[in-house]
Amino acid sequence: TSNEFADLGFDVDIAPALEEVQLLLQQVIDNDAHILLVLTRHADPKKYHDIVRLAEEQGPEEVLLVFKSEEEFDKLAEQHLKGTGAFFGSGASVYDLAKYMLGAILGHG
């Protein structure tokens, strides 16, 4: 997936699967990232909620949060995260995500 984003012109930095959300967000801030794309195999509403909460507390407002799970998001995840970023389920392609992210950055999304 990261190669596909790079092929589309995105500057991609890859972080390993981190258990500590605080460290992940510090990397985003330190690297002056504009988008945090979280790709997971399992929908974990609590982890997503922790990322959103910490981003709101510490992160710059210009960081766009985008989540994609190989599982469909359940209603609990939607309730926790409503209005805090973009959320894509297993049916979304790299191009769907890229279109959304570019639109949001350029002010069209």
Side-chain angles (χ1 to χ4, degrees):
T1 301
S2 61
N3 288 341
E4 293 171 301
F5 280 108
D7 289 345
L8 292 171
F10 286 89
D11 180 12
V12 177
D13 294 319
I14 301 172
L18 296 173
E19 290 301 315
E20 190 169 329
V21 174
Q22 179 102 21
L23 181 58
L24 175 64
L25 289 173
Q26 190 59 52
Q27 288 179 348
V28 168
I29 293 166
D30 291 348
N31 291 305
D32 194 30
H34 300 283
I35 301 171
L36 172 57
L37 172 60
V38 180
L39 302 171
T40 67
R41 290 194 187 340
H42 305 290
D44 182 352
K46 184 183 180 326
K47 182 158 284 201
Y48 297 147
H49 180 71
D50 290 346
I51 291 171
V52 171
R53 181 182 50 79
L54 281 169
E56 288 173 348
E57 289 174 4
Q58 309 178 349
E61 291 181 17
E62 63 270 8
V63 174
L64 175 66
L65 299 177
V66 181
F67 298 92
K68 182 178 185 304
S69 175
E70 290 305 311
E71 296 177 1
E72 293 301 321
F73 288 97
D74 60 21
K75 293 296 178 192
L76 180 60
E78 290 176 25
Q79 288 174 356
H80 276 294
L81 304 170
K82 189 170 188 155
T84 57
F87 305 94
F88 294 87
S90 61
S93 71
V94 167
Y95 301 104
D96 295 331
L97 275 74
K99 181 179 174 183
Y100 170 79
M101 291 186 292
L102 287 172
I105 289 173
L106 297 173
H108 306 293

